[in-house]
Amino acid sequence: AMNITVPASTINAVDYNQFAAILTAGFQEQMQIAYTDSIKQKQTNDSLRNTLDSLRAAFKSIQSCLTQLCNNGHGANRHNGGGSGNSGDSNATILNTQDVTLSALANAPLLYQNIPNPFNTATKINYYLPVGTQGASIVFYDTYGNKIKTVELNQTGNGTLNITPDNLTSGIYSYSLVVNGNVVDTKRMLLQK
């Protein structure tokens, strides 16, 4: 008979009670994180829902105002008898049109734009001086603002200056109506040779 010697060995066993406790603690921690995240998500969702509700209310308010404005505009068109039979788009334009008449002030000096402009051989400048105007002149300036000529205006009412360029180069010139040392208006004229 043969004797076999087996070395002593240690057998480790798993303590399932302790392992279950570790798993349970981990599961509880994960559940707490998930719960916290779900609360944050709910708060975010509630905040977004409140913002969306506010935007909806604002949109409804704007929509109501626009509807009221549009209905008032269309109602005014029908009330004023647009007469064309259109649904209102062209009539709304008519309602927003104003007739304006411009007239010169009877007591104000006026300076008009030279005609033709640009010019090459001659041009005309019209002006108006009310009755009683004294000390009026039209002063001409070159491109650099240097005075090149002053023409005294002794007659009141409408007047015209016939301008002929002599030894002037092409460029932009200006002229001012001056009354009692005050510049009433300034215009520009373009000489093209």
Side-chain angles (χ1 to χ4, degrees), residues 109 133-139 141 147 150 152 176-186:
T133 303
Q134 296 179 349
S137 62
I138 294 182
V139 183
Y141 301 92
K147 187 188 307 184
T150 300
E152 299 297 328
S176 298
L177 176 59
V178 179
V179 177
N180 292 327
N182 297 316
V183 176
V184 173
D185 197 1
T186 299

Side-chain angles (χ1 to χ4, degrees), residues 99-111:
D99 295 326
V100 177
T101 303
L102 297 178
S103 58
L105 297 175
N107 296 324
L110 297 172
L111 180 65

Side-chain angles (χ1 to χ4, degrees), residues 113-114 116-123 143 169-175 187-193:
Q113 186 65 51
N114 63 300
N117 190 36
F119 69 102
N120 59 8
T121 57
T123 188
T143 305
T169 59
S170 293
I172 298 173
Y173 294 84
S174 61
Y175 55 98
K187 305 284 185 192
R188 287 181 175 78
M189 58 184 179
L190 176 59
L191 173 60
Q192 290 181 333
K193 288 190 170 184

Side-chain angles (χ1 to χ4, degrees), residues 9-19:
S9 63
T10 304
I11 297 176
N12 291 330
V14 175
D15 185 350
Y16 288 105
N17 289 334
Q18 287 183 353
F19 188 67

Side-chain angles (χ1 to χ4, degrees), residues 14-156:
V14 175
D15 185 350
Y16 288 105
N17 289 334
Q18 287 183 353
F19 188 67
I22 291 171
L23 287 176
T24 302
F27 179 73
Q28 287 174 341
E29 185 178 342
Q30 288 300 315
M31 289 300 292
Q32 182 63 40
I33 290 171
Y35 177 72
T36 303
D37 286 349
S38 72
I39 288 177
K40 288 180 183 174
Q41 186 65 44
K42 182 180 181 315
Q43 289 171 344
T44 301
N45 287 347
D46 289 346
S47 175
L48 290 172
R49 191 171 291 112
N50 289 338
T51 302
L52 185 58
D53 289 343
S54 296
L55 289 173
R56 279 189 184 131
F59 179 74
K60 284 182 180 178
S61 175
I62 291 170
Q63 192 175 23
S64 174
C65 288
L66 287 174
T67 302
Q68 222 173 7
L69 286 172
C70 290
N71 286 342
N72 286 346
H74 289 159
N77 288 338
R78 287 189 296 272
H79 179 69
N80 288 339
S84 66
N86 291 343
S87 63
D89 289 341
S90 63
N91 289 338
T93 305
I94 293 171
L95 283 178
N96 292 327
T97 302
Q98 297 181 24
D99 295 326
V100 177
T101 303
L102 297 178
S103 58
L105 297 175
N107 296 324
L110 297 172
L111 180 65
Y112 297 97
Q113 186 65 51
N114 63 300
I115 299 172
N117 190 36
F119 69 102
N120 59 8
T121 57
T123 188
K124 293 182 179 197
I125 297 173
N126 293 320
Y127 62 90
Y128 170 77
L129 297 175
V131 175
T133 303
Q134 296 179 349
S137 62
I138 294 182
V139 183
F140 293 87
Y141 301 92
D142 66 11
T143 305
Y144 306 103
N146 299 313
K147 187 188 307 184
I148 55 176
K149 187 161 191 88
T150 300
V151 177
E152 299 297 328
L153 305 174
N154 298 319
Q155 300 291 324
T156 59

